[in-house]
Amino acid sequence: MASDTPPFTIGIEEEYLLVDQDTGRLAQAPDALIAACKADLEGKVSPEFLQCQIEIGTGICHTIAEARADLGHLRRTVARHAGEFGLAPIAASCHPFADWKDQHHTDKERYDQLRRDLAGVARRMLICGMHVHVGIPDEDMRITLVNQLKYFLPHLHALSTSSPFWQGDDTGLKSYRLTVFDNLPRTGLPPRMDSWDEFSSTVDTLVSLGLIEDASKIWWDLRPSSKFPTIESRICDVTPRMEVTLTLAALTQCLTRMLWRKTKEGDGWPLVENFMIGENRWRAQRYGVSEGQIDFGRKALIPFAQAVDEILDLIAEDAAALDCEKEVAAARQIVEDGTSADHQRKTRDAALDSGASQTEAMAAVVAALVADFHADL
């Protein structure tokens, strides 16, 4: 590759819910728990909007192997300190049976302002996500890659789905989280933009009007980061198992490199309108990996397994260059085994079949999510 090759570094952010180890119910994070995590994790952990949440973020990682080591340390540390208070973290985008009306937001000016700005919409934000940053120093290239990479967001989202339940009900969706998040302003697929200047001008207009303080209040599924020289994928549900998180991060990293490579070769990915990509986004939200996605070149629905195989063919060169062939290949196993949403339903159904009550079955789902959090550590 030429000397202007981006580093394609990665950073992973995850949001966790804290539950009582005995009951599986949501629990507020004690100040002492947050303090202990901060002391051990050197700026890589913070409270989130709700008091039952905690957020972690890796450092800048050059390889998936580095990300695995960093993320594993973060997860282990949060779990250890949570355990000291009789709590456990789960990495699922919605708690299976909690009621959002019972939750309280963190007492912090940033979150107080968010509550004031978003009113009743903010109260329902009992959701957790996972973000992946990929290092792209050139500003205009970031915009070019955002325009192209959004085509693959539904595929990434489908693989991540972990929120089938809401307030104890089966929503019929694999990702209920997006239905909640999409109620916020400035969400959804990013609009097509031609340059960094156009993006900056758009942000500056909103800032000058006093509508947002900076670009961090633009919550698109994919955006140029407001803090780092990266593009940031934000569409994925947070996933219970760390290895699934790493597969999603590796796919994001490789897809970004593939699109950059093709752009430099003069053969960038064809741009598709948001209306059409949105149809695949809905299919991912509704069906996860169990139903097909639209191939816009063929103008046909293709099985999700076929879509994954074709993506892996597209990024084979990039996975080899980035040393993450094993991690991206694991996407096939996710399709075969189902996502966390599928596993949660199976756990619920198995408990009901064994004679458990609905309440007991949902508690079993939470217990399985706790076990999944620790499974790859």
Side-chain angles (χ1 to χ4, degrees), residues 2-17:
S3 58
D4 64 344
T5 303
F8 301 109
T9 51
I10 51 175
I12 301 170
E13 300 169 358
E14 291 187 316
E15 297 161 349
Y16 308 140
L17 294 168

Side-chain angles (χ1 to χ4, degrees), residues 39-52:
D40 280 352
L41 297 177
E42 302 175 356
K44 293 182 178 181
V45 66
S46 64
E48 246 298 328
F49 178 66
L50 294 176
Q51 293 176 358
C52 58

Side-chain angles (χ1 to χ4, degrees), residues 48 62 67 86 103 122 128 135 152 162 197 244 254-255 260 330 343 352:
E48 246 298 328
H62 292 83
Q103 309 310 314
C128 294
F152 296 97
S162 71
D197 287 344
V244 176
C254 289
L255 283 166
W260 174 84
H343 300 165
L352 291 173

